[in-house]
Amino acid sequence: VPEGTNWKRVYIIRHGQAKHNQVAAASPHKCDCELSSKTNLCPYLAPELEDPPLTELGEQQASHAHLYLSHA
């Protein structure tokens, strides 16, 4: 970076696994939201999963990301 230049580093990360990921993986239905023949059974659209919490694995993933970014 040339001297006197202002710059910012941007990190793009994915959040950790959330409850809707677990529910969708265990569901017999697959997401078909982008298909023209929707079934409305997409497991990601369940009202109780509108703002899903992180799973235990997701908490661990977020913690690892925090540790990595705090030393970057």
Side-chain angles (χ1 to χ4, degrees), residues 13-67:
I13 60 170
R14 182 188 178 279
H15 61 76
Q17 181 190 59
K19 187 68 177 171
H20 68 293
N21 300 119
Q22 274 187 335
V23 170
S27 174
H29 306 288
K30 300 300 174 202
C31 178
D32 62 358
C33 293
E34 295 183 8
L35 301 177
S36 59
S37 56
K38 296 179 186 172
T39 63
N40 293 320
L41 297 174
C42 175
Y44 292 104
L45 299 179
E48 65 273 15
L49 298 175
E50 188 172 310
D51 188 16
L54 293 178
T55 63
E56 186 175 327
L57 174 61
E59 292 282 348
Q60 292 171 0
Q61 292 168 331
S63 180
H64 287 243
H66 169 76
L67 288 173

